Amino acid sequence: MLNFITFQCLVIVFIPGALILEIVYPFSKKLRLKASDFCVRYMPKSLFGVLKGLRKFQFYAYENPEVQLPEQFSVIINHQSLFDIPALMLYFRNRKIRFIAKDSLKYGIPMISPMLRAQGHCLISNKKGTLSAISLITNFGKWTKESGLNPIIFPEGSRTRDGNVGKFYSAGFRKLNESTGLPIVAFLL
């Protein structure tokens, strides 16, 4: 019963953001970006708030007060679950982050797909080949650097199936690093 209640609460929390994004997306680039920014800022808090209230879930992020992150940096991180994205959004809530993701997320997922498109996340096709992916990542890296954004890459390419850290594919990360020249912050989930 608790699973059902948790699911219903999460649906109630996410429906307004998803509806707003779907409604404004075709009409105004400025409005869709504002709606996306709102969702990125407040939805992770809501998600973890519901899970904390109903499931006693805790979000812990290790922070060393002696280490200051630079204003702009690239993030390299392993990909464990669907919670990675909202966890990163919550942890970096005071920074503008952009993900490198697979392009199959571009359409068909309420709230997520319009946010990815509206905010200019790098969407890589598995079907177009390595050269296309490298070109997209290079252009994305230059754009994030010029725009003051923090790019995030999951070099495993997809979520782990068994909980173990998968093989890291270094080409995308190397191109991102070359195109931005930003300091690198490594995270582990």
Side-chain angles (χ1 to χ4, degrees), residues 8-66:
Q8 293 299 322
C9 288
L10 290 174
V11 167
I12 290 167
V13 164
F14 285 106
I15 281 180
L19 284 175
I20 290 169
L21 275 170
E22 292 297 331
I23 290 168
V24 303
Y25 195 87
F27 300 108
S28 169
K29 187 174 183 175
K30 189 175 183 179
L31 275 178
R32 80 176 82 136
L33 188 57
K34 283 187 177 196
S36 293
D37 287 343
F38 175 82
C39 289
V40 166
R41 183 170 286 284
Y42 294 104
M43 291 301 167
K45 287 182 194 176
S46 301
L47 168 70
F48 289 111
V50 167
L51 293 176
K52 180 179 181 182
L54 295 175
R55 308 296 289 196
K56 307 296 184 234
F57 180 88
Q58 291 290 321
F59 177 81
Y60 292 104
Y62 172 76
E63 292 188 40
N64 184 344
E66 296 174 9

Side-chain angles (χ1 to χ4, degrees), residues 21 44 85 96 121 125 162:
L21 275 170
I85 308 302
K96 292 196 176 204
H121 296 269
S125 172
D162 60 5

Side-chain angles (χ1 to χ4, degrees), residues 2-174:
L2 189 56
N3 288 340
F4 179 74
I5 293 170
T6 303
F7 177 75
Q8 293 299 322
C9 288
L10 290 174
V11 167
I12 290 167
V13 164
F14 285 106
I15 281 180
L19 284 175
I20 290 169
L21 275 170
E22 292 297 331
I23 290 168
V24 303
Y25 195 87
F27 300 108
S28 169
K29 187 174 183 175
K30 189 175 183 179
L31 275 178
R32 80 176 82 136
L33 188 57
K34 283 187 177 196
S36 293
D37 287 343
F38 175 82
C39 289
V40 166
R41 183 170 286 284
Y42 294 104
M43 291 301 167
K45 287 182 194 176
S46 301
L47 168 70
F48 289 111
V50 167
L51 293 176
K52 180 179 181 182
L54 295 175
R55 308 296 289 196
K56 307 296 184 234
F57 180 88
Q58 291 290 321
F59 177 81
Y60 292 104
Y62 172 76
E63 292 188 40
N64 184 344
E66 296 174 9
V67 176
Q68 292 292 321
L69 291 175
E71 277 299 310
Q72 196 177 7
F73 51 88
S74 295
V75 175
I76 182 172
I77 185 168
N78 65 311
H79 203 358
Q80 290 290 312
S81 74
L82 291 174
F83 281 104
D84 299 352
I85 308 302
L88 287 165
M89 289 175 174
L90 184 61
Y91 187 77
F92 291 122
R93 64 188 161 275
N94 296 322
R95 298 178 183 264
K96 292 196 176 204
I97 58 175
R98 296 295 183 268
F99 294 97
I100 296 176
K102 58 185 177 180
D103 79 339
S104 61
L105 302 175
K106 192 176 193 173
Y107 297 103
I109 304 171
M111 193 166 62
I112 304 301
S113 297
M115 279 183 1
L116 288 171
R117 294 190 319 266
Q119 293 186 323
H121 296 269
C122 183
L123 301 171
I124 304 291
S125 172
N126 292 337
K127 297 175 182 156
K128 291 187 179 175
T130 305
L131 292 177
S132 172
I134 295 299
S135 175
L136 283 170
I137 291 171
T138 300
N139 293 335
F140 175 73
K142 290 175 185 174
W143 175 72
T144 56
K145 171 81 172 171
E146 293 165 2
S147 303
L149 304 169
N150 296 296
I152 297 178
I153 188 167
F154 299 97
E156 292 169 289
S158 64
R159 291 185 314 273
T160 179
R161 301 266 184 240
D162 60 5
N164 294 317
V165 175
K167 178 182 176 183
F168 275 35
Y169 299 97
S170 63
F173 172 69
R174 280 195 322 262

